[in-house]
Every structure is written in structure tokens, then in C-alpha cells.
Amino acid sequence: MTTPVEFGVDTFGDVTVDADGNRKSYAQVLRDVVDEAVLADEVGIDYFGVGEHHRDDFAISAPDVVLAAIAGRTRRIRLGTAVTVLSSDDPVRVFERFATLDAVSNGRAEITLGRGSFTESFPLFGYDLADYEVLFSEKIDLMAHLLTEQPVTWEGTVRPPLADANVFPKTESGRIKTWVGVGGSPESVVRAASYGMPLTLAIIGGDPARFAPYVDLYHRALEQVGLDRLPVAVHSPGFIADSDQEAADLVWPHSKAMHDRIGRERGWPPMSRAQFDGEIANGSQYIGAPETVARKIARTVRTLGVQRFDLKYSNGTIPHEHAMRNLELYGTKVIPLVRELLAAQGEAQLAQHAGQVAVLDVAAAVEAGVRHRGAAAEGVAQALGEVVRRHGMKCALM
């Protein structure tokens, strides 16, 4: 039986503006994020993820604290990160904090481990960027040991060794669900598989189909280490409004401002409206009316064969009120539509398969000697006609 696809949302706690265009305080942005998570829970969204950043355009630097506040006001939505920057954190403390979150949320905590797309945390916490690779590779290895919730003996170069160390609190389930977030590194895909961790693909630009080889690589790597298939998720930006034009026009100035600000740091050219519209039409911006966004999400889920789709619903400085409407439409309109589209396609595939089997059975009978025109040929025609009627296949007798 096919596992149902899940639908989540992510935010970095982007610092927003009020209705008059004035920048909000970090405190108010954080309170808004909690309110947004409460709404996400109410409208049936499966997962709420918050990113970790240490810069002035994002308010969330302590994801576990924000998630704990959300846990106290929600009842069913799962709560996790997007991502936890493990390289500049201590895996022991990460485990302790999220095991605590898991307890106070009644088992709803998840972690997504990653390197992060920004590097401000490295100098802030006293790490050398020259150690970028070794920090992540050693710390994810330690994290994998800690997740077993058994005594840990471990030694590396980036922190003091552990000898038969027990870490507390233990979880009621025996394990915190922990993903690895990947932005395009095949090595990271293989690493996730080698540790038996589910994979999250951050697809923020270009045709999502480009990432199909990464999904295939992940499945093959799991086979190589003798593990069953594990979930794959996609994280991509988007925004839903009542019409395609309204959605694009609302997001455009905020998206451009964010893109160009980060671009000045990284050497990107300014974004044009044509580029923005092209990304909506053919890339990884899920922007539009509910029907438009639902069709695009369904296409990505089908193409990549993923088990969860996470919409990065915050879009730079776009006001909280628009973010709330975005979440409302995603939960009440888009998700049900995607489920319908996926179910309809699944039924069509089953029907097509049944029809192909029926046609093959008829062909086998013909091959066995029923070749004369008369009653036998009429029977073949009737059989094929019945297949057409039942399964909507287009076929012709030659």
C-alpha cells in the first residue's frame, strides 16, 4: 500500500514589515511565527519547520525555543527544523534540546540536519571555515550515535571524546526522526543514506526534475548499505493567493529585495521581473492561485516520487497578514487538491496497468492459435472493446 504524501511548511522567521511598510521588531516577528504555526495546525498542515540563522534579516536563531512555544499552543502538527546548522553546534546539546522538545510536544519533534546556506554562525561560535567539511562529517557521525539513545563512545577531532556517555532525556519512542537537508551535493546524499536518515532536498531554483538523479542515487545508496527505502522530502518556496496575478504581484517586491540583498553579498546580479516570472512558470517558485500551485506540487511529487512536500511560505518582508492567508489557502485548498490529483493519477495508472494486462492476455490467446477471422476475431474485438470501456484506453485493431 502506498504511503500517503505529507505536506509541511517552513519559515526562517524572515523579518517582515507592517501594513505601512515599517520594519517589525524581532520580538513581534517571533510572536507572528508562533501564530502562523497555530493556524497551520488548525488547517491540517502536517509539519511546521523553522530555520536557524544568525543574521539581521531572520529572527530565528534558537529554533528549539520557538518550537517549544509552538508546542504549547498546538496539538497535532509535527515540529522540526529547516535546518539545524550542526557544524557550528554541539550534537550532544542538539540531542538534549530536541529530546526535551519531543517530550513537551508529546512526541512531535523532528530535526533536519544541514550545513546551512549562510556561514555567520562559524565565526560567531568560534569555528574556522577552513574546517567546514570535517565539522559536519564528524558531528553528523556523533549525532547518529546519539540518536540510538544508547551509551556512546566516540572520538574525533572537533570536540572532546565521549566514553560510554549517556545523554538525557531519553524519548518515549526511542528515536527522534532526523532528516538530512541537501542542496545539491551527491556526497551529502550518500552520507544521509549511509546513516539511515531520511533525505530533504532543498530545491529553490530551476526545474525540480533536475533532482531526480539525486533521489535515484539516494535509493541506490540505501540498497548498498542494506536498508529499506526511507522518505524523501522537497523544500521549495511558494505563495498562494486568490489568483495567479495577485500572488505574483504580492510576492515580487519582497522576493526581489531579499534576492538582491543576498546577491550583493554573494556577487549575484539583481533579479528582473522576467526572471521571477520565468521561475514561477518553469522553475521552483510555487506561486499562484490554489489550482495552479496544486498542479505544480503534484507534478513535482510525481516526478521525484517524494513522500513529503514542504512549502517555504515566508517570503522576505511580506506582511504577516499575507503569510496567514497563504497558510490558510495551502491547508484548506491546495493540499486537498494535490491529494485529489495524486489519487486520480494513481487510479489512472492502475487502470492502465489492468488494461495492459488484459491486452497482453488477449494477445497471448491470439498467439496460441486463435488467428482466424470469424467468431474468434469477434471475441478478441469484444475483449479489447471491454478494456477500452472499463479503462479508457485508446487502442485499435490492426
Side-chain angles (χ1 to χ4, degrees), residues 264-280:
R264 286 190 291 272
E265 300 171 6
R266 301 186 177 185
W268 304 339
M271 180 169 61
S272 69
R273 180 62 191 252
Q275 289 173 313
F276 176 71
D277 290 340
E279 192 63 37
I280 294 173

Side-chain angles (χ1 to χ4, degrees), residues 152-375:
V152 173
T153 297
W154 181 91
E155 186 173 354
T157 64
V158 299
R159 60 150 289 142
L162 298 174
D164 204 29
N166 253 311
V167 181
F168 303 96
K170 308 296 186 184
T171 66
E172 290 178 320
S173 67
R175 187 175 180 88
I176 304 169
K177 188 170 188 177
T178 301
W179 306 66
V180 176
V182 175
S185 164
E187 294 81 7
S188 294
V189 171
V190 173
R191 181 186 285 121
S194 70
Y195 286 115
M197 296 180 184
L199 179 71
T200 298
L201 294 169
I203 308 178
I204 59 174
D207 185 351
R210 296 180 303 117
F211 280 75
Y214 292 91
V215 178
D216 180 61
L217 173 63
Y218 179 64
H219 290 154
R220 287 189 286 116
L222 286 170
E223 290 175 6
Q224 287 291 318
V225 296
L227 295 175
D228 293 334
R229 285 201 172 189
L230 293 169
V232 177
V234 164
H235 155 104
S236 288
F239 184 83
I240 304 118
D242 292 324
S243 71
D244 291 350
Q245 193 65 50
E246 180 189 6
D249 289 346
L250 278 171
V251 174
W252 160 244
H254 304 279
S255 183
K256 176 175 173 57
M258 179 172 62
H259 177 280
D260 292 355
R261 181 178 62 253
I262 296 171
R264 286 190 291 272
E265 300 171 6
R266 301 186 177 185
W268 304 339
M271 180 169 61
S272 69
R273 180 62 191 252
Q275 289 173 313
F276 176 71
D277 290 340
E279 192 63 37
I280 294 173
N282 303 304
S284 293
Q285 287 278 1
Y286 294 77
I287 294 174
E291 297 79 8
T292 301
V293 174
R295 285 194 298 270
K296 191 166 184 176
I297 291 174
R299 185 164 57 247
T300 295
V301 169
R302 287 195 300 261
T303 300
L304 299 181
V306 299
Q307 287 67 54
R308 190 168 86 192
F309 182 92
D310 292 337
L311 186 81
K312 199 269 184 179
Y313 73 90
S314 55
N315 289 271
T317 53
I318 198 163
H320 168 63
E321 293 72 20
H322 293 311
M324 293 287 273
R325 178 64 173 159
N326 184 12
L327 289 166
E328 179 188 0
L329 290 172
Y330 182 64
T332 63
K333 301 289 186 183
V334 172
I335 292 174
L337 281 170
V338 178
R339 293 195 195 283
E340 288 178 15
L341 289 168
L342 294 175
Q345 201 227 1
E347 291 172 3
Q349 287 176 333
L350 286 173
Q352 183 182 29
H353 175 71
Q356 289 169 342
V357 169
V359 170
L360 288 172
D361 288 346
V362 171
V366 172
E367 199 61 34
V370 188
R371 299 180 182 277
H372 59 280
R373 295 286 180 183

Side-chain angles (χ1 to χ4, degrees), residues 110-144:
E110 297 187 8
I111 310 169
T112 302
L113 304 173
R115 304 167 187 264
S117 60
F118 296 94
T119 58
E120 288 84 1
S121 63
F122 287 80
L124 186 63
F125 298 121
Y127 293 101
D128 190 337
L129 275 171
D131 297 327
Y132 186 82
E133 291 294 334
V134 69
L135 281 166
F136 189 72
S137 61
E138 287 196 9
K139 289 186 177 186
I140 196 172
D141 183 67
L142 174 54
M143 193 73 198

